[in-house]
Amino acid sequence: MVFFVEQSATYDARRFEPSERDVAMKKTAAGWTVIDERHGVLSYKYAFNEQGATTNCFVARMGNGQLLVVSPPYRISADALKDLAAYGEVGALMANNGFHHLGLAEWRGHFPKARVFAPTDAFARIKKKNPGAPEPEALSGLKELLGADVTVTEAPATKCGESWTTAKIEGGYAWFGSDILINLPKVDGPLPMRLMFKLTKSGPGYRVFNLTMKFTVKDKKQVLTRLAEDLRKLPPTVVVPAHGDLLSQAGLAEETQQLLAPFIA
């Protein structure tokens, strides 16, 4: 779905002072960012095409002690799988929408007992675009696995499925914002694509991903209103967007609400 390549080292317009959480986060040898070690919450940036465009995976330990892997990384390395194993057994794989499905078959091969989930509106596109992927279950089936500290919400009024995931961590909540939120340090790629990002106000920086939402949702106001309600209930201290850099600065919950406010007024 995303047609750009990000290059975080070249962007300087949006800098934040490192928070205590930033300092506390560690990376494994194979590249996982450990958001909260005790709760088993991690993220992982991976390339999904030959041009080097990247997206993020989000992992949370469910109530049954197993790991939920959202947007399973495509072409995952053996070393990355070994690092992840230290945090638990993979019990559930999830496509967060109809676009983040490339790793499903690969991960099911590594974890044949893992159940596979996706938003119901994503089923048709996943089947069409990735016929080798295992047939997913509806997100409602996750409820028996998640426990009290992890939530998965299926967005209303979508064209090809959308969702968001939260996990309780020390001092707050980590959010996976899927393709609704984006935080690109720099928008790269052909001029027409850069113009589309500019015209839709989808980057650079922390934004609502208006460009992708044109393809994924039927009613943006309805989706963002529901998202804002959930953000008030579980204020984020960490946000992992599907594309771009993790955020963990002070005031993140309020800043995220401010991003949504113009669309739901």
Side-chain angles (χ1 to χ4, degrees):
M1 175 59 224
V2 180
F3 312 96
F4 55 83
V5 179
E6 52 168 323
Q7 297 179 344
S8 59
T10 60
Y11 181 70
D12 192 54
R14 183 176 174 79
R15 295 283 185 188
F16 298 104
E17 290 298 320
S19 68
E20 292 182 6
R21 185 178 301 282
D22 291 325
V23 174
M25 286 185 197
K26 72 174 186 180
K27 278 192 176 288
T28 73
W32 292 94
T33 297
V34 183
I35 298 170
D36 190 303
E37 188 151 19
R38 185 169 72 87
H39 289 89
V41 180
L42 304 92
S43 67
Y44 185 84
K45 183 174 288 190
Y46 65 97
F48 64 88
N49 65 17
E50 300 304 325
Q51 290 72 45
T54 63
T55 189
N56 294 315
C57 165
F58 183 77
V59 172
R61 187 181 297 121
M62 302 182 290
N64 66 356
Q66 296 181 324
L67 301 179
L68 167 65
V69 180
V70 183
S71 184
Y74 184 52
R75 297 177 178 173
I76 189 73
S77 71
D79 287 341
L81 289 173
K82 182 178 179 181
D83 283 0
L84 184 62
Y87 295 90
E89 177 186 2
V90 173
L93 307 171
M94 177 181 147
N96 45 295
N97 57 32
F99 292 91
H100 287 250
H101 55 74
L102 289 178
L104 289 176
E106 177 185 343
W107 278 70
R108 185 63 172 277
H110 291 299
F111 305 100
K113 294 182 180 180
R115 294 167 63 182
V116 177
F117 299 90
T120 53
D121 285 346
F123 287 5
R125 190 177 194 280
I126 292 173
K127 185 175 182 179
K128 179 180 180 181
K129 297 292 185 179
N130 192 355
E135 184 174 346
E137 301 178 47
L139 294 185
S140 58
L142 273 168
K143 290 181 180 179
E144 63 190 75
L145 308 177
L146 294 177
D149 292 344
V150 180
T151 72
V152 172
T153 301
E154 187 162 0
T158 72
K159 298 176 182 178
C160 58
E162 190 52 282
S163 63
W164 48 85
T165 301
T166 75
K168 186 176 181 179
I169 58 175
E170 189 68 30
Y173 297 91
W175 275 69
F176 181 71
S178 193
D179 282 325
I180 301 174
L181 301 173
I182 187 169
N183 183 38
L184 281 183
K186 180 181 179 181
V187 178
D188 246 341
L191 178 60
M193 181 52 55
R194 298 200 305 272
L195 287 174
M196 280 196 283
F197 267 79
K198 182 177 180 179
L199 291 172
T200 60
K201 299 180 180 179
S202 296
Y206 186 33
R207 305 291 183 93
V208 172
F209 200 173
N210 296 298
L211 178 56
T212 292
M213 291 186 76
K214 291 180 179 293
F215 300 93
T216 57
V217 307
K218 297 175 183 176
D219 187 333
K220 182 192 293 186
K221 182 176 181 179
Q222 186 177 352
V223 172
L224 295 182
T225 298
R226 175 63 189 277
L227 178 61
E229 292 171 356
D230 286 1
L231 285 163
R232 282 191 287 271
K233 296 174 185 175
L234 304 173
T237 48
V238 172
V239 170
V240 180
H243 300 277
D245 291 349
L246 177 154
L247 298 109
S248 61
Q249 68 271 14
L252 180 59
E254 293 79 8
E255 182 178 2
T256 306
Q257 290 286 2
Q258 289 172 9
L259 284 182
L260 304 184
F263 301 98
I264 61 180

mmCIF file of all heavy atoms in Angstrom, residues 90-137:
data_model
loop_
_atom_site.group_PDB
_atom_site.id
_atom_site.type_symbol
_atom_site.label_atom_id
_atom_site.label_comp_id
_atom_site.label_asym_id
_atom_site.label_seq_id
_atom_site.Cartn_x
_atom_site.Cartn_y
_atom_site.Cartn_z
ATOM 1 N N VAL A 90 5.038 -17.853 20.056
ATOM 2 C CA VAL A 90 4.091 -17.149 19.192
ATOM 3 C C VAL A 90 2.791 -17.947 19.123
ATOM 4 O O VAL A 90 2.781 -19.103 18.713
ATOM 5 C CB VAL A 90 4.673 -16.948 17.782
ATOM 6 C CG1 VAL A 90 3.613 -16.380 16.836
ATOM 7 C CG2 VAL A 90 5.890 -16.024 17.831
ATOM 8 N N GLY A 91 1.697 -17.314 19.543
ATOM 9 C CA GLY A 91 0.416 -18.012 19.561
ATOM 10 C C GLY A 91 -0.612 -17.455 18.608
ATOM 11 O O GLY A 91 -1.608 -18.117 18.299
ATOM 12 N N ALA A 92 -0.395 -16.205 18.118
ATOM 13 C CA ALA A 92 -1.373 -15.572 17.235
ATOM 14 C C ALA A 92 -0.659 -14.643 16.263
ATOM 15 O O ALA A 92 0.242 -13.896 16.643
ATOM 16 C CB ALA A 92 -2.420 -14.801 18.032
ATOM 17 N N LEU A 93 -1.076 -14.708 15.007
ATOM 18 C CA LEU A 93 -0.568 -13.844 13.952
ATOM 19 C C LEU A 93 -1.731 -12.998 13.456
ATOM 20 O O LEU A 93 -2.829 -13.513 13.263
ATOM 21 C CB LEU A 93 0.001 -14.674 12.798
ATOM 22 C CG LEU A 93 1.037 -15.733 13.169
ATOM 23 C CD1 LEU A 93 1.337 -16.623 11.983
ATOM 24 C CD2 LEU A 93 2.319 -15.056 13.670
ATOM 25 N N MET A 94 -1.486 -11.727 13.206
ATOM 26 C CA MET A 94 -2.592 -10.849 12.846
ATOM 27 C C MET A 94 -2.198 -9.878 11.741
ATOM 28 O O MET A 94 -1.178 -9.183 11.839
ATOM 29 C CB MET A 94 -3.046 -10.069 14.079
ATOM 30 C CG MET A 94 -4.151 -9.072 13.825
ATOM 31 S SD MET A 94 -4.560 -8.190 15.354
ATOM 32 C CE MET A 94 -5.007 -6.580 14.697
ATOM 33 N N ALA A 95 -2.999 -9.861 10.684
ATOM 34 C CA ALA A 95 -2.920 -8.794 9.685
ATOM 35 C C ALA A 95 -3.782 -7.648 10.196
ATOM 36 O O ALA A 95 -4.985 -7.823 10.412
ATOM 37 C CB ALA A 95 -3.421 -9.287 8.331
ATOM 38 N N ASN A 96 -3.201 -6.495 10.444
ATOM 39 C CA ASN A 96 -3.947 -5.380 11.023
ATOM 40 C C ASN A 96 -4.953 -4.773 10.044
ATOM 41 O O ASN A 96 -5.915 -4.141 10.444
ATOM 42 C CB ASN A 96 -3.006 -4.299 11.544
ATOM 43 C CG ASN A 96 -1.886 -3.974 10.581
ATOM 44 O OD1 ASN A 96 -1.040 -4.833 10.319
ATOM 45 N ND2 ASN A 96 -1.853 -2.762 10.067
ATOM 46 N N ASN A 97 -4.730 -4.996 8.740
ATOM 47 C CA ASN A 97 -5.690 -4.580 7.723
ATOM 48 C C ASN A 97 -5.449 -5.420 6.469
ATOM 49 O O ASN A 97 -4.695 -6.408 6.519
ATOM 50 C CB ASN A 97 -5.592 -3.066 7.440
ATOM 51 C CG ASN A 97 -4.198 -2.627 7.015
ATOM 52 O OD1 ASN A 97 -3.463 -3.375 6.376
ATOM 53 N ND2 ASN A 97 -3.830 -1.411 7.372
ATOM 54 N N GLY A 98 -6.054 -5.027 5.355
ATOM 55 C CA GLY A 98 -5.935 -5.830 4.145
ATOM 56 C C GLY A 98 -4.638 -5.670 3.401
ATOM 57 O O GLY A 98 -4.455 -6.296 2.343
ATOM 58 N N PHE A 99 -3.705 -4.891 3.932
ATOM 59 C CA PHE A 99 -2.432 -4.653 3.268
ATOM 60 C C PHE A 99 -1.240 -5.299 3.971
ATOM 61 O O PHE A 99 -0.219 -5.563 3.349
ATOM 62 C CB PHE A 99 -2.192 -3.146 3.125
ATOM 63 C CG PHE A 99 -3.131 -2.479 2.168
ATOM 64 C CD1 PHE A 99 -4.321 -1.931 2.608
ATOM 65 C CD2 PHE A 99 -2.842 -2.422 0.811
ATOM 66 C CE1 PHE A 99 -5.201 -1.328 1.733
ATOM 67 C CE2 PHE A 99 -3.709 -1.826 -0.085
ATOM 68 C CZ PHE A 99 -4.903 -1.272 0.374
ATOM 69 N N HIS A 100 -1.350 -5.558 5.265
ATOM 70 C CA HIS A 100 -0.205 -6.063 6.031
ATOM 71 C C HIS A 100 -0.293 -7.583 6.200
ATOM 72 O O HIS A 100 -0.397 -8.085 7.317
ATOM 73 C CB HIS A 100 -0.132 -5.350 7.383
ATOM 74 C CG HIS A 100 0.324 -3.931 7.276
ATOM 75 N ND1 HIS A 100 1.537 -3.496 7.724
ATOM 76 C CD2 HIS A 100 -0.275 -2.844 6.729
ATOM 77 C CE1 HIS A 100 1.669 -2.203 7.487
ATOM 78 N NE2 HIS A 100 0.567 -1.790 6.872
ATOM 79 N N HIS A 101 -0.211 -8.278 5.085
ATOM 80 C CA HIS A 101 -0.425 -9.729 5.081
ATOM 81 C C HIS A 101 0.767 -10.514 4.546
ATOM 82 O O HIS A 101 0.748 -11.753 4.535
ATOM 83 C CB HIS A 101 -1.644 -10.060 4.208
ATOM 84 C CG HIS A 101 -1.541 -9.512 2.810
ATOM 85 N ND1 HIS A 101 -0.707 -10.053 1.858
ATOM 86 C CD2 HIS A 101 -2.156 -8.455 2.228
ATOM 87 C CE1 HIS A 101 -0.802 -9.363 0.746
ATOM 88 N NE2 HIS A 101 -1.682 -8.370 0.942
ATOM 89 N N LEU A 102 1.820 -9.833 4.075
ATOM 90 C CA LEU A 102 2.887 -10.522 3.350
ATOM 91 C C LEU A 102 3.574 -11.597 4.184
ATOM 92 O O LEU A 102 4.011 -12.613 3.643
ATOM 93 C CB LEU A 102 3.928 -9.513 2.859
ATOM 94 C CG LEU A 102 3.500 -8.594 1.715
ATOM 95 C CD1 LEU A 102 4.622 -7.631 1.375
ATOM 96 C CD2 LEU A 102 3.109 -9.402 0.492
ATOM 97 N N GLY A 103 3.685 -11.399 5.485
ATOM 98 C CA GLY A 103 4.417 -12.352 6.320
ATOM 99 C C GLY A 103 3.591 -13.487 6.882
ATOM 100 O O GLY A 103 4.132 -14.365 7.570
ATOM 101 N N LEU A 104 2.284 -13.524 6.610
ATOM 102 C CA LEU A 104 1.415 -14.501 7.268
ATOM 103 C C LEU A 104 1.815 -15.947 6.967
ATOM 104 O O LEU A 104 1.936 -16.773 7.877
ATOM 105 C CB LEU A 104 -0.043 -14.274 6.870
ATOM 106 C CG LEU A 104 -0.716 -13.026 7.429
ATOM 107 C CD1 LEU A 104 -2.131 -12.900 6.868
ATOM 108 C CD2 LEU A 104 -0.765 -13.068 8.955
ATOM 109 N N ALA A 105 1.990 -16.274 5.699
ATOM 110 C CA ALA A 105 2.313 -17.661 5.336
ATOM 111 C C ALA A 105 3.675 -18.067 5.887
ATOM 112 O O ALA A 105 3.849 -19.181 6.410
ATOM 113 C CB ALA A 105 2.290 -17.820 3.816
ATOM 114 N N GLU A 106 4.631 -17.175 5.770
ATOM 115 C CA GLU A 106 5.982 -17.429 6.265
ATOM 116 C C GLU A 106 5.980 -17.713 7.769
ATOM 117 O O GLU A 106 6.582 -18.688 8.244
ATOM 118 C CB GLU A 106 6.821 -16.204 5.932
ATOM 119 C CG GLU A 106 8.240 -16.219 6.409
ATOM 120 C CD GLU A 106 8.928 -14.883 6.111
ATOM 121 O OE1 GLU A 106 8.420 -14.103 5.273
ATOM 122 O OE2 GLU A 106 9.963 -14.626 6.739
ATOM 123 N N TRP A 107 5.278 -16.884 8.525
ATOM 124 C CA TRP A 107 5.247 -17.055 9.977
ATOM 125 C C TRP A 107 4.445 -18.286 10.377
ATOM 126 O O TRP A 107 4.805 -18.967 11.345
ATOM 127 C CB TRP A 107 4.692 -15.803 10.640
ATOM 128 C CG TRP A 107 5.730 -14.741 10.809
ATOM 129 C CD1 TRP A 107 6.307 -13.993 9.815
ATOM 130 C CD2 TRP A 107 6.357 -14.326 12.021
ATOM 131 N NE1 TRP A 107 7.233 -13.132 10.340
ATOM 132 C CE2 TRP A 107 7.273 -13.312 11.693
ATOM 133 C CE3 TRP A 107 6.194 -14.689 13.357
ATOM 134 C CZ2 TRP A 107 8.050 -12.679 12.658
ATOM 135 C CZ3 TRP A 107 6.958 -14.052 14.319
ATOM 136 C CH2 TRP A 107 7.884 -13.072 13.978
ATOM 137 N N ARG A 108 3.399 -18.580 9.639
ATOM 138 C CA ARG A 108 2.637 -19.797 9.945
ATOM 139 C C ARG A 108 3.505 -21.021 9.720
ATOM 140 O O ARG A 108 3.383 -22.028 10.434
ATOM 141 C CB ARG A 108 1.384 -19.859 9.067
ATOM 142 C CG ARG A 108 0.459 -21.033 9.394
ATOM 143 C CD ARG A 108 -0.103 -20.960 10.820
ATOM 144 N NE ARG A 108 -1.101 -21.957 11.072
ATOM 145 C CZ ARG A 108 -2.396 -21.859 10.744
ATOM 146 N NH1 ARG A 108 -2.852 -20.764 10.128
ATOM 147 N NH2 ARG A 108 -3.234 -22.814 11.027
ATOM 148 N N GLY A 109 4.405 -20.943 8.744
ATOM 149 C CA GLY A 109 5.362 -22.029 8.531
ATOM 150 C C GLY A 109 6.289 -22.214 9.711
ATOM 151 O O GLY A 109 6.623 -23.341 10.087
ATOM 152 N N HIS A 110 6.704 -21.104 10.318
ATOM 153 C CA HIS A 110 7.577 -21.180 11.497
ATOM 154 C C HIS A 110 6.803 -21.608 12.745
ATOM 155 O O HIS A 110 7.366 -22.273 13.632
ATOM 156 C CB HIS A 110 8.229 -19.814 11.770
ATOM 157 C CG HIS A 110 9.229 -19.388 10.749
ATOM 158 N ND1 HIS A 110 10.376 -20.117 10.475
ATOM 159 C CD2 HIS A 110 9.270 -18.298 9.932
ATOM 160 C CE1 HIS A 110 11.081 -19.497 9.544
ATOM 161 N NE2 HIS A 110 10.443 -18.394 9.204
ATOM 162 N N PHE A 111 5.519 -21.228 12.804
ATOM 163 C CA PHE A 111 4.701 -21.482 14.002
ATOM 164 C C PHE A 111 3.367 -22.117 13.579
ATOM 165 O O PHE A 111 2.336 -21.437 13.548
ATOM 166 C CB PHE A 111 4.468 -20.176 14.768
ATOM 167 C CG PHE A 111 5.743 -19.454 15.125
ATOM 168 C CD1 PHE A 111 6.167 -18.376 14.367
ATOM 169 C CD2 PHE A 111 6.521 -19.867 16.195
ATOM 170 C CE1 PHE A 111 7.348 -17.718 14.674
ATOM 171 C CE2 PHE A 111 7.705 -19.221 16.514
ATOM 172 C CZ PHE A 111 8.124 -18.137 15.754
ATOM 173 N N PRO A 112 3.399 -23.382 13.240
ATOM 174 C CA PRO A 112 2.200 -24.032 12.667
ATOM 175 C C PRO A 112 1.003 -24.089 13.617
ATOM 176 O O PRO A 112 -0.129 -24.250 13.160
ATOM 177 C CB PRO A 112 2.697 -25.437 12.312
ATOM 178 C CG PRO A 112 3.951 -25.640 13.100
ATOM 179 C CD PRO A 112 4.566 -24.299 13.257
ATOM 180 N N LYS A 113 1.234 -23.943 14.918
ATOM 181 C CA LYS A 113 0.119 -23.973 15.867
ATOM 182 C C LYS A 113 -0.497 -22.591 16.094
ATOM 183 O O LYS A 113 -1.540 -22.478 16.740
ATOM 184 C CB LYS A 113 0.586 -24.549 17.205
ATOM 185 C CG LYS A 113 0.990 -26.021 17.141
ATOM 186 C CD LYS A 113 1.394 -26.526 18.513
ATOM 187 C CE LYS A 113 1.800 -27.997 18.470
ATOM 188 N NZ LYS A 113 2.204 -28.495 19.816
ATOM 189 N N ALA A 114 0.139 -21.570 15.576
ATOM 190 C CA ALA A 114 -0.359 -20.209 15.786
ATOM 191 C C ALA A 114 -1.660 -19.997 15.003
ATOM 192 O O ALA A 114 -1.786 -20.422 13.854
ATOM 193 C CB ALA A 114 0.679 -19.194 15.349
ATOM 194 N N ARG A 115 -2.610 -19.342 15.625
ATOM 195 C CA ARG A 115 -3.855 -18.980 14.952
ATOM 196 C C ARG A 115 -3.659 -17.659 14.202
ATOM 197 O O ARG A 115 -2.848 -16.829 14.599
ATOM 198 C CB ARG A 115 -4.987 -18.870 15.967
ATOM 199 C CG ARG A 115 -5.331 -20.209 16.608
ATOM 200 C CD ARG A 115 -6.230 -20.068 17.818
ATOM 201 N NE ARG A 115 -7.549 -19.504 17.485
ATOM 202 C CZ ARG A 115 -8.495 -19.248 18.390
ATOM 203 N NH1 ARG A 115 -8.263 -19.506 19.682
ATOM 204 N NH2 ARG A 115 -9.651 -18.744 18.022
ATOM 205 N N VAL A 116 -4.391 -17.496 13.115
ATOM 206 C CA VAL A 116 -4.225 -16.335 12.241
ATOM 207 C C VAL A 116 -5.513 -15.515 12.253
ATOM 208 O O VAL A 116 -6.610 -16.076 12.117
ATOM 209 C CB VAL A 116 -3.877 -16.777 10.811
ATOM 210 C CG1 VAL A 116 -3.765 -15.575 9.888
ATOM 211 C CG2 VAL A 116 -2.578 -17.579 10.805
ATOM 212 N N PHE A 117 -5.374 -14.202 12.385
ATOM 213 C CA PHE A 117 -6.531 -13.322 12.512
ATOM 214 C C PHE A 117 -6.394 -12.120 11.583
ATOM 215 O O PHE A 117 -5.287 -11.709 11.222
ATOM 216 C CB PHE A 117 -6.657 -12.822 13.953
ATOM 217 C CG PHE A 117 -6.849 -13.908 14.978
ATOM 218 C CD1 PHE A 117 -5.756 -14.506 15.582
ATOM 219 C CD2 PHE A 117 -8.124 -14.327 15.320
ATOM 220 C CE1 PHE A 117 -5.924 -15.516 16.532
ATOM 221 C CE2 PHE A 117 -8.307 -15.326 16.265
ATOM 222 C CZ PHE A 117 -7.207 -15.924 16.864
ATOM 223 N N ALA A 118 -7.550 -11.533 11.252
ATOM 224 C CA ALA A 118 -7.584 -10.299 10.460
ATOM 225 C C ALA A 118 -8.970 -9.684 10.588
ATOM 226 O O ALA A 118 -9.941 -10.387 10.903
ATOM 227 C CB ALA A 118 -7.268 -10.580 8.989
ATOM 228 N N PRO A 119 -9.102 -8.395 10.344
ATOM 229 C CA PRO A 119 -10.438 -7.794 10.282
ATOM 230 C C PRO A 119 -11.253 -8.457 9.173
ATOM 231 O O PRO A 119 -10.701 -8.806 8.119
ATOM 232 C CB PRO A 119 -10.152 -6.322 9.951
ATOM 233 C CG PRO A 119 -8.731 -6.097 10.369
ATOM 234 C CD PRO A 119 -8.036 -7.393 10.129
ATOM 235 N N THR A 120 -12.543 -8.623 9.384
ATOM 236 C CA THR A 120 -13.356 -9.346 8.400
ATOM 237 C C THR A 120 -13.370 -8.651 7.044
ATOM 238 O O THR A 120 -13.418 -9.325 5.999
ATOM 239 C CB THR A 120 -14.792 -9.527 8.918
ATOM 240 O OG1 THR A 120 -15.316 -8.256 9.307
ATOM 241 C CG2 THR A 120 -14.818 -10.454 10.122
ATOM 242 N N ASP A 121 -13.323 -7.317 7.028
ATOM 243 C CA ASP A 121 -13.312 -6.599 5.752
ATOM 244 C C ASP A 121 -12.006 -6.800 4.988
ATOM 245 O O ASP A 121 -11.909 -6.428 3.810
ATOM 246 C CB ASP A 121 -13.540 -5.107 5.972
ATOM 247 C CG ASP A 121 -14.986 -4.766 6.303
ATOM 248 O OD1 ASP A 121 -15.857 -5.633 6.105
ATOM 249 O OD2 ASP A 121 -15.238 -3.636 6.774
ATOM 250 N N ALA A 122 -10.990 -7.381 5.645
ATOM 251 C CA ALA A 122 -9.709 -7.627 4.985
ATOM 252 C C ALA A 122 -9.641 -8.997 4.317
ATOM 253 O O ALA A 122 -8.747 -9.251 3.513
ATOM 254 C CB ALA A 122 -8.569 -7.514 6.003
ATOM 255 N N PHE A 123 -10.582 -9.880 4.637
ATOM 256 C CA PHE A 123 -10.494 -11.259 4.160
ATOM 257 C C PHE A 123 -10.378 -11.338 2.637
ATOM 258 O O PHE A 123 -9.537 -12.073 2.099
ATOM 259 C CB PHE A 123 -11.718 -12.067 4.607
ATOM 260 C CG PHE A 123 -11.760 -12.413 6.068
ATOM 261 C CD1 PHE A 123 -10.807 -11.947 6.958
ATOM 262 C CD2 PHE A 123 -12.780 -13.221 6.563
ATOM 263 C CE1 PHE A 123 -10.852 -12.277 8.305
ATOM 264 C CE2 PHE A 123 -12.835 -13.562 7.901
ATOM 265 C CZ PHE A 123 -11.878 -13.076 8.777
ATOM 266 N N ALA A 124 -11.231 -10.638 1.927
ATOM 267 C CA ALA A 124 -11.276 -10.755 0.467
ATOM 268 C C ALA A 124 -9.978 -10.284 -0.166
ATOM 269 O O ALA A 124 -9.452 -10.930 -1.088
ATOM 270 C CB ALA A 124 -12.458 -9.962 -0.086
ATOM 271 N N ARG A 125 -9.441 -9.170 0.330
ATOM 272 C CA ARG A 125 -8.211 -8.662 -0.274
ATOM 273 C C ARG A 125 -7.030 -9.570 0.017
ATOM 274 O O ARG A 125 -6.181 -9.798 -0.839
ATOM 275 C CB ARG A 125 -7.910 -7.238 0.220
ATOM 276 C CG ARG A 125 -6.791 -6.593 -0.575
ATOM 277 C CD ARG A 125 -6.500 -5.156 -0.165
ATOM 278 N NE ARG A 125 -5.670 -4.522 -1.174
ATOM 279 C CZ ARG A 125 -4.352 -4.678 -1.273
ATOM 280 N NH1 ARG A 125 -3.711 -5.443 -0.390
ATOM 281 N NH2 ARG A 125 -3.668 -4.080 -2.236
ATOM 282 N N ILE A 126 -6.950 -10.092 1.231
ATOM 283 C CA ILE A 126 -5.858 -11.001 1.564
ATOM 284 C C ILE A 126 -5.910 -12.247 0.676
ATOM 285 O O ILE A 126 -4.890 -12.692 0.142
ATOM 286 C CB ILE A 126 -5.911 -11.386 3.058
ATOM 287 C CG1 ILE A 126 -5.591 -10.152 3.924
ATOM 288 C CG2 ILE A 126 -4.929 -12.514 3.364
ATOM 289 C CD1 ILE A 126 -5.787 -10.379 5.416
ATOM 290 N N LYS A 127 -7.088 -12.781 0.490
ATOM 291 C CA LYS A 127 -7.238 -13.970 -0.353
ATOM 292 C C LYS A 127 -6.839 -13.682 -1.791
ATOM 293 O O LYS A 127 -6.201 -14.507 -2.455
ATOM 294 C CB LYS A 127 -8.670 -14.472 -0.292
ATOM 295 C CG LYS A 127 -8.891 -15.785 -1.048
ATOM 296 C CD LYS A 127 -10.314 -16.293 -0.835
ATOM 297 C CE LYS A 127 -10.506 -17.633 -1.550
ATOM 298 N NZ LYS A 127 -11.887 -18.158 -1.323
ATOM 299 N N LYS A 128 -7.198 -12.505 -2.297
ATOM 300 C CA LYS A 128 -6.894 -12.137 -3.680
ATOM 301 C C LYS A 128 -5.410 -11.846 -3.874
ATOM 302 O O LYS A 128 -4.802 -12.299 -4.851
ATOM 303 C CB LYS A 128 -7.718 -10.915 -4.080
ATOM 304 C CG LYS A 128 -7.455 -10.429 -5.498
ATOM 305 C CD LYS A 128 -8.314 -9.212 -5.816
ATOM 306 C CE LYS A 128 -8.047 -8.710 -7.236
ATOM 307 N NZ LYS A 128 -8.873 -7.514 -7.546
ATOM 308 N N LYS A 129 -4.829 -11.081 -2.967
ATOM 309 C CA LYS A 129 -3.450 -10.632 -3.127
ATOM 310 C C LYS A 129 -2.426 -11.630 -2.616
ATOM 311 O O LYS A 129 -1.267 -11.597 -3.036
ATOM 312 C CB LYS A 129 -3.256 -9.296 -2.402
ATOM 313 C CG LYS A 129 -4.099 -8.156 -2.948
ATOM 314 C CD LYS A 129 -3.652 -7.764 -4.348
ATOM 315 C CE LYS A 129 -4.390 -6.545 -4.859
ATOM 316 N NZ LYS A 129 -3.947 -6.131 -6.210
ATOM 317 N N ASN A 130 -2.834 -12.514 -1.715
ATOM 318 C CA ASN A 130 -1.890 -13.448 -1.102
ATOM 319 C C ASN A 130 -2.559 -14.812 -0.937
ATOM 320 O O ASN A 130 -2.857 -15.237 0.182
ATOM 321 C CB ASN A 130 -1.443 -12.892 0.254
ATOM 322 C CG ASN A 130 -0.257 -13.628 0.837
ATOM 323 O OD1 ASN A 130 0.209 -14.620 0.284
ATOM 324 N ND2 ASN A 130 0.226 -13.159 1.977
ATOM 325 N N PRO A 131 -2.804 -15.506 -2.048
ATOM 326 C CA PRO A 131 -3.538 -16.773 -1.968
ATOM 327 C C PRO A 131 -2.830 -17.852 -1.153
ATOM 328 O O PRO A 131 -3.455 -18.807 -0.704
ATOM 329 C CB PRO A 131 -3.683 -17.192 -3.437
ATOM 330 C CG PRO A 131 -2.647 -16.423 -4.175
ATOM 331 C CD PRO A 131 -2.476 -15.140 -3.436
ATOM 332 N N GLY A 132 -1.534 -17.683 -0.934
ATOM 333 C CA GLY A 132 -0.802 -18.651 -0.124
ATOM 334 C C GLY A 132 -0.923 -18.425 1.368
ATOM 335 O O GLY A 132 -0.480 -19.261 2.169
ATOM 336 N N ALA A 133 -1.538 -17.308 1.759
ATOM 337 C CA ALA A 133 -1.688 -17.008 3.182
ATOM 338 C C ALA A 133 -2.748 -17.902 3.800
ATOM 339 O O ALA A 133 -3.740 -18.247 3.148
ATOM 340 C CB ALA A 133 -2.070 -15.551 3.379
ATOM 341 N N PRO A 134 -2.578 -18.300 5.052
ATOM 342 C CA PRO A 134 -3.612 -19.091 5.719
ATOM 343 C C PRO A 134 -4.898 -18.292 5.859
ATOM 344 O O PRO A 134 -4.871 -17.062 5.988
ATOM 345 C CB PRO A 134 -2.999 -19.412 7.085
ATOM 346 C CG PRO A 134 -1.941 -18.379 7.290
ATOM 347 C CD PRO A 134 -1.434 -18.018 5.940
ATOM 348 N N GLU A 135 -6.013 -18.982 5.833
ATOM 349 C CA GLU A 135 -7.303 -18.298 5.965
ATOM 350 C C GLU A 135 -7.442 -17.753 7.382
ATOM 351 O O GLU A 135 -7.336 -18.490 8.354
ATOM 352 C CB GLU A 135 -8.436 -19.269 5.659
ATOM 353 C CG GLU A 135 -9.806 -18.634 5.665
ATOM 354 C CD GLU A 135 -10.896 -19.587 5.209
ATOM 355 O OE1 GLU A 135 -10.554 -20.654 4.647
ATOM 356 O OE2 GLU A 135 -12.079 -19.265 5.415
ATOM 357 N N PRO A 136 -7.702 -16.458 7.520
ATOM 358 C CA PRO A 136 -7.751 -15.879 8.873
ATOM 359 C C PRO A 136 -9.095 -16.089 9.561
ATOM 360 O O PRO A 136 -10.123 -16.297 8.920
ATOM 361 C CB PRO A 136 -7.516 -14.389 8.614
ATOM 362 C CG PRO A 136 -8.039 -14.160 7.238
ATOM 363 C CD PRO A 136 -7.804 -15.431 6.470
ATOM 364 N N GLU A 137 -9.044 -16.017 10.878
ATOM 365 C CA GLU A 137 -10.250 -15.950 11.695
ATOM 366 C C GLU A 137 -10.601 -14.479 11.936
ATOM 367 O O GLU A 137 -9.754 -13.590 11.815
ATOM 368 C CB GLU A 137 -10.009 -16.604 13.061
ATOM 369 C CG GLU A 137 -9.587 -18.049 13.042
ATOM 370 C CD GLU A 137 -9.328 -18.578 14.445
ATOM 371 O OE1 GLU A 137 -10.177 -18.340 15.339
ATOM 372 O OE2 GLU A 137 -8.272 -19.187 14.652
#
